[in-house]
């Protein structure tokens, strides 16, 4: 048996056929063309999925279910996309609509939650009881698994770890509030930090970079560039405090870090794992591991394809 | 059938006989005499419990189980008090020891978690699926119930909401870190805020108070005292941001506020419920209610007596 995972992004509707070992055995996609009527997007989803089944010489009987990961607030219980500001969906009956094109059980999840679910079932969270994932990219996405279950809250608006307060009254966040985790721990935040004082460090490799991004800062720190080290240490200190807050709050087995900044790998993880201890209340009993997410770009498709597990 | 709830505090070992309607039908206590050998404390627990059964013309057969709420890290699975800095307990087999005096199943829980459990089963959290409690007292205690289960984390060191970061680098917290929720939302924090600038407001009723406490500040705000209103608004803003972080993170049905500051009642709750919305990411879908805890001082005994539910 196979399942189908659909990762609905702003650019593409990515569809994957996933086997029982959680591997994508075939994939296809269509452009999302954001802004068009949502019924057309759902129709395209159905067409790509049906084509994928046919192209692989399978029938509907070989498909257990379909999972969809999408931005915004998804209500899996009722099969509804409650709110999606990018797609302008409000209470859109996504399950019922898709079943008009492909009659299978349909599971829904928020895209960040779905990526965390993939990581939990098949990546660095395997075997954990309580697991959190932070995606350190343009923003900070979050996913929470507690007692083996995806936790999106009583009204599906939780797991927005990026918008919990980290420094009240501090840096402006894109959400309108000040001091959110996202305004300190996203790749965007790291870039802003670097841009702020770069003129004071004209000899830094960061000042000489064509364009400042997270990788430029991390590489500068690796090379012991003074400004790079300063920025990286500040970022690590912020991230370590955020991880410690998560541990003091929920005490998970694993916190997975994904997204662009996590590509720094052990250079980042070793420092965060070390520094986190000083902020954990019962640090001598702390056993949470902070790890790099393993699933990469396929987490969206695979996580969606695992939503029925 | 009855259960026995034991609330082990720094001053008293409070023991209650609790009926099936979650009411304390009889109670007794002995001084804790903190610092003495822990075997003696457990012996006293057993004696008070046995006396309570006898005094009420009951036998051991009428008792379903015993629950203990105690400070520190409690491992209910293994029946151990993993860590208690006040009592100097480390991996103390509290279940086995107590069963030498009274042979019944023994459940363990951290005191703040136990109080939240009482509130969830029998107080303002009744019927909720996801529930959090903050105790705004000398410190800020926390308790978390998710999917109907008490959540203390994978290593029982979670639910320390008071020691999650609220304003990184900010006010010194008793735990050694800076900017914890406790350093902004405890009664102690409110008193410190009031003491800081009181000399600038010599005409304030706060300046004239014999001793500044949370009640003095709240009453001053109620009476429209300029300094009182200023302090109270600042406190409300902090607390609203903390509640919003909890909602963005876990999206519970109810957040219960207990402890001294919560005695301000609707005067506090109305403002927090109103202001919280501006910090919640999906505020139009927010349905979390912030309520006053109902169980009061008996929450420790009743929550302990309900640990087996």
């Amino acid at each position: 048996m196979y399942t189908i995972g659909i990762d609905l992004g702003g650019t593409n509707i990515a569809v994957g056929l996933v086997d029982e070992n959680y591997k994508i055995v075939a994939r296809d996609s269509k452009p999302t063309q954001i802004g068009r009527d949502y019924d057309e997007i759902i129709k395209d989803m159905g067409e790509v999925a049906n084509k994928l089944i046919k192209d692989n010489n399978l029938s509907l009987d070989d498909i257990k279910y379909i999972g969809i990961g999408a931005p915004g607030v998804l209500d899996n219980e009722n099969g509804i996309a409650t709110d999606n500001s990018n797609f302008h969906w409000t209470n859109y009956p996504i399950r019922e609509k898709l079943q008009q094109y492909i009659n299978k059980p349909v599971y829904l999840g928020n895209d960040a939650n779905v990526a965390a679910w993939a990581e939990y079932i098949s990546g660095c969270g395997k075997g954990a009881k309580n697991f959190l994932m932070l995606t350190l990219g343009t923003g900070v996405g979050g996913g929470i698994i507690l007692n083996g279950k995806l936790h999106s809250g009583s009204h599906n608006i939780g797991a927005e770890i990026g918008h919990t307060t980290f420094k009240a009254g501090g840096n402006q966040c894109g959400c309108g509030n000040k001091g959110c985790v996202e305004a300190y721990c996203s790749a965007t935040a790291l870039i802003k930090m670097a841009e702020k004082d770069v003129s004071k460090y004209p000899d830094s490799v960061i000042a000489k970079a064509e364009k400042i991004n997270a990788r430029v800062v991390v590489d500068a720190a690796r090379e012991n560039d003074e400004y790079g080290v300063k920025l990286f240490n500040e970022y690590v200190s912020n991230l370590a405090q955020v991880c410690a807050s998560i541990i003091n709050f929920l005490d998970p087995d694993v916190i997975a870090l994904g997204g662009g900044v996590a590509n720094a790998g052990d250079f980042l993880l070793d420092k965060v794992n070390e520094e986190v201890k000083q902020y954990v209340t019962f640090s001598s009993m702390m056993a949470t591991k902070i790890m790099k997410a393993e699933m990469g770009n396929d987490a969206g498709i695979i996580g969606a394809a695992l939503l029925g597990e």
Side-chain angles (χ1 to χ4, degrees), chain A residues 7-180:
Chain A
D7 180 9
L8 176 60
T11 312
N12 283 307
I13 305 164
V15 184
L17 188 67
V18 174
D19 71 10
E20 286 170 347
N21 299 314
Y22 316 143
K23 301 292 171 210
I24 299 175
V25 293
R27 65 174 85 208
D28 201 350
S29 71
K30 276 201 177 187
T32 307
Q33 296 175 50
I34 209 163
R36 64 179 164 144
D37 193 79
Y38 28 71
D39 284 341
E40 288 177 29
I41 294 179
I42 300 299
K43 194 180 169 198
D44 276 356
M45 272 188 192
E47 278 183 14
V48 179
N50 279 316
K51 184 171 178 293
L52 208 55
I53 294 168
K54 204 177 154 198
D55 287 354
N56 287 276
N57 302 314
L58 298 173
S59 78
L60 261 192
D61 292 341
D62 299 308
I63 306 300
K64 229 165 121 189
Y65 62 82
I66 299 167
I68 304 173
V73 181
L74 282 299
D75 174 359
N76 181 54
E77 204 179 316
N78 298 302
I80 284 167
T82 315
D83 180 89
N84 186 308
S85 48
N86 292 326
F87 289 84
H88 307 290
W89 287 359
T90 307
N91 295 322
Y92 181 72
I94 193 168
R95 173 181 295 148
E96 184 192 314
K97 292 282 184 179
L98 184 61
Q99 285 175 335
Q100 292 176 359
Y101 302 102
I102 179 163
N103 192 19
K104 281 283 158 183
V106 174
Y107 295 90
L108 306 177
N110 164 278
D111 50 5
N113 293 351
V114 159
W117 186 240
E119 203 65 43
Y120 174 70
I121 297 286
S122 184
C124 75
K126 248 185 294 191
K129 188 178 164 197
N130 299 301
F131 170 84
L132 275 95
M133 179 157 151
L134 294 178
T135 309
L136 311 168
T138 311
V140 172
I144 306 174
I145 284 95
L146 298 170
N147 280 321
K149 286 190 177 165
L150 199 49
H151 182 94
S152 60
S154 294
H155 326 90
N156 300 300
I157 64 166
E160 292 288 339
I161 307 175
H163 299 293
T164 57
T165 305
F166 171 67
K167 191 169 184 168
N171 291 352
Q172 182 65 48
C173 182
C175 76
N177 291 327
K178 285 183 174 178
C180 292

Side-chain angles (χ1 to χ4, degrees), chain A residues 186-197:
Chain A
S186 62
T188 313
L190 180 58
I191 294 165
K192 277 191 185 167
M193 274 165 59
E195 286 172 343
K196 192 166 165 262
D197 287 330

